[in-house]
Amino acid sequence: LLVTAALHMRDSDATAPRILAVAHSNGACDQLLETLISFGIPAIRAGRPATVGEKSRARTVTAMTETHPEVLSLRARARDPSLPAHVRSNAVTEAKRVAEAVRRTISDTAPVVVASCIGASQLTQHGISVSFPLVILDEAAQTTEPALVCALAAAKAEQVVLVGDTKQLPPTVKSSSSELRHTLGRSPMARLLENGGLEQVTLSVQY
């Protein structure tokens, strides 16, 4: 579903809504990103470097900014001892300006941003423009309601699609309170299907 929607965005006009793809775990986020990249979709990964998998770090806004040719060239110029001090100083200032412009361009134009549910609440801290009409949640049956609310609130979402299997593992809640474990141990996907009267689509093939 996510890949199909992203491919449609890529092949349609520039006004197509951006997608925030979230999952409960960082591992699932990294897998989502790898799949999107393999289909030629220029998705980016949001999150603290320590929580992002090694293969996905190159697609973070920070890493893409730091390796941009113009940024690298200006920083090399700033470190060149053969140049006058004022030239090196100007290069430092210009490198900061260009880096910020590159960061903003990447974050504002990526068709799909991948983040964990909790990590989505920190998007603005990573310089990512937060405006995603559509949120797609993977591992929905393993996600707690507060985690999903974090992503929806951060994205200012108008629509959410839940993808998961309520017959598999429920959310893991570590608490000494049995009431809290019972309440949060029921995913929003399960709650909506049981009490919300929402339509569901069930796959007939195991992928």
Side-chain angles (χ1 to χ4, degrees), residues 12-207:
S12 63
D13 58 62
T15 60
R18 302 173 73 202
I19 296 175
L20 175 63
V22 293
H24 182 65
S25 67
N26 282 295
C29 290
D30 293 337
Q31 290 180 2
L32 277 176
L33 179 67
E34 289 178 23
T35 300
L36 289 166
I37 296 301
S38 71
F39 278 88
I41 298 165
I44 61 175
R45 178 75 161 88
R48 294 182 296 106
T51 65
V52 177
E54 186 175 352
K55 291 183 179 180
S56 299
R57 287 175 195 159
R59 294 298 302 179
T60 61
V61 177
T62 298
M64 294 173 71
T65 300
E66 295 295 316
T67 56
H68 190 276
E70 190 173 356
V71 173
L72 291 175
S73 176
L74 285 167
R75 287 179 176 172
R77 187 175 177 82
R79 294 191 301 268
D80 189 345
S82 66
L83 296 175
H86 73 278
V87 173
R88 285 183 280 130
S89 178
N90 289 339
V92 170
T93 302
E94 183 65 7
K96 291 179 179 178
R97 186 193 66 79
V98 171
E100 180 56 32
V102 169
R103 181 189 302 276
R104 181 59 57 186
T105 298
I106 293 172
S107 66
D108 288 354
T109 59
V112 181
V113 175
V114 181
S116 67
C117 288
I118 302 300
S121 64
Q122 303 172 344
L123 288 175
T124 53
Q125 297 178 21
H126 297 285
I128 298 176
S129 176
V130 183
S131 180
F132 301 91
L134 175 61
V135 172
I136 297 181
L137 170 64
D138 192 22
E139 289 189 336
Q142 299 178 42
T143 304
T144 63
E145 288 186 357
L148 175 57
V149 169
C150 284
L152 296 180
K156 301 179 178 65
E158 299 173 6
Q159 182 180 17
V160 59
V161 177
L162 308 181
V163 182
D165 185 354
T166 55
K167 303 300 182 183
Q168 294 189 12
L169 292 174
T172 299
V173 180
K174 297 181 179 179
S175 173
S176 59
S177 169
S178 59
E179 181 180 1
L180 189 61
R181 291 197 304 271
H182 174 74
T183 302
L184 296 183
R186 188 182 184 196
S187 70
M189 183 178 192
R191 192 183 301 278
L192 287 170
L193 289 176
E194 293 170 14
N195 302 334
L198 299 181
E199 181 182 356
Q200 63 176 316
V201 177
T202 304
L203 298 178
S204 57
V205 179
Q206 178 75 38
Y207 291 95

